[in-house]
Amino acid sequence: MNNGFPIQSVHALPKPYSKKEIPKNAAAKTSFKDVLQQQIVKPAHLKISKHANERMDKRGIEINSAQWETINRKVAEAKQKGVTDSLVITDEATLVVSAKNNTVITVMDRQEAKSQIFTNINGTIVID
């Protein structure tokens, strides 16, 4: 007897696992901290173009690893804000960096940078 109502199929739901029956391929418990760390975007390390490397050598510009990490982090922040090409100014040097390509395009010392005009830059990063 149908009475005008559609006939529905009944599907059994899978039985929940007890703690003893959890399959070995089930995901291991992950802490909130671990999930958060996986979601945080780690900045890609900057590459130094051949031109920039030659300029650094020729001008005796040295940037220590702590400064590189700061520059790397700030360029990644700028990239998240939509910056594609940035001017990075430190105490000792000025760098033109393609945030889009994670590449240092050119480097000059601060004295030389004072007399330059920088074009095609849509962001500036000043690092003390």
Side-chain angles (χ1 to χ4, degrees), residues 18-125:
S18 71
K19 288 184 180 179
K20 293 178 184 175
E21 298 175 327
I22 295 176
K24 291 183 180 182
N25 64 352
K29 285 187 178 181
T30 306
S31 71
F32 176 76
K33 181 181 175 183
D34 293 337
V35 172
L36 183 61
Q37 286 294 346
Q38 291 171 0
Q39 296 301 315
I40 294 174
V41 178
K42 295 183 180 177
H45 286 284
L46 292 174
K47 299 172 279 210
I48 302 173
S49 70
K50 182 178 177 183
H51 172 76
N53 203 26
E54 288 171 357
R55 284 191 153 218
M56 289 177 70
D57 289 342
K58 182 178 174 184
R59 292 174 170 89
I61 298 170
E62 292 186 22
I63 300 174
N64 66 40
S65 60
Q67 288 173 317
W68 276 121
E69 285 302 316
T70 301
I71 293 167
N72 197 49
R73 190 176 68 253
K74 292 296 186 181
V75 168
E77 285 178 36
K79 185 176 182 177
Q80 287 179 339
K81 293 182 179 191
V83 173
T84 55
D85 296 293
S86 64
L87 181 67
V88 178
I89 302 170
T90 70
D91 290 339
E92 297 84 25
T94 301
L95 301 82
V96 176
V97 180
S98 168
K100 183 169 67 174
N101 299 326
N102 295 318
T103 304
V104 178
I105 308 286
T106 192
V107 180
M108 61 192 78
D109 63 33
R110 284 295 302 270
Q111 283 302 111
E112 182 183 6
K114 285 182 179 181
S115 63
Q116 299 296 319
I117 296 173
F118 298 94
T119 60
N120 298 324
I121 302 297
N122 67 344
T124 302
I125 301 167

